[in-house]
Amino acid sequence: MTGLRSVDLDQLADRTGIRVEFYDPDGTRYGFPTFPYQAAPDGLATRRQLRAAGLRPGGHDPVAQILWRHRTNRRVAYLYRLDLAAPKRVATPAQREAIAKALRARRTCGVCEQVKPYYIPRRYGCCLDCHGGH
């Protein structure tokens, strides 16, 4: 894939001999174009970034990845092309109503049948007031 190279990271390797561990725009080392944390090329975004912009991948596969270390673990975030992203789908009124009904059921006690301002703990099956009374 062309256009995914970072001039700054390429020059760093040429100038100092330092090779950035997770910089592999050609995908030869990791099998997939890979970039270090906060060094993704323009035109690519993570799912979270797409969602914040009101977009979704639109059924397209990721085209690159970001790798970084977090403590002893290696983390990954996949990158999607912005030009292929589609607008987020909006729930229909019937879907929103079904979601509201399901969330209300999670807040309704099975013993006293009161609707609480919190979700009923599944391990008790009743609100905290009813559980404390047993």
Side-chain angles (χ1 to χ4, degrees):
M1 176 170 267
T2 60
L4 293 181
R5 299 197 72 81
S6 169
V7 176
D8 294 333
L9 293 175
D10 284 335
Q11 288 177 351
L12 177 69
D14 293 340
R15 194 173 61 244
T16 65
I18 296 173
R19 188 177 82 175
V20 178
E21 180 182 6
F22 296 128
Y23 180 62
D24 180 24
D26 301 323
T28 55
R29 201 170 351 147
Y30 297 103
F32 204 50
T34 304
F35 300 93
Y37 189 72
Q38 294 186 342
D42 293 336
L44 299 181
T46 63
R47 278 185 177 269
R48 188 172 285 193
Q49 291 168 333
L50 288 175
R51 187 177 28 217
L55 301 170
R56 61 187 171 94
H60 297 283
D61 292 331
V63 295
Q65 65 185 355
I66 295 174
L67 283 178
W68 71 96
R69 289 194 191 287
H70 180 260
R71 298 184 182 147
T72 60
N73 298 328
R74 185 182 284 184
R75 299 278 179 105
V76 64
Y78 295 107
L79 297 170
Y80 299 86
R81 288 179 43 184
L82 284 171
D83 60 336
L84 298 178
K88 270 199 308 190
R89 293 185 293 210
V90 180
T92 65
Q95 288 172 326
R96 285 195 298 270
E97 186 178 322
I99 291 168
K101 186 177 177 182
L103 293 178
R104 183 179 173 90
R106 288 183 61 192
R107 294 189 345 256
T108 305
C109 177
V111 176
C112 66
E113 297 185 5
Q114 289 182 349
V115 178
K116 298 294 183 176
Y118 56 87
Y119 293 131
I120 305 299
R122 289 175 47 192
R123 67 176 167 249
Y124 302 144
C126 59
C127 67
L128 299 178
D129 296 332
C130 293
H131 179 70
H134 284 123

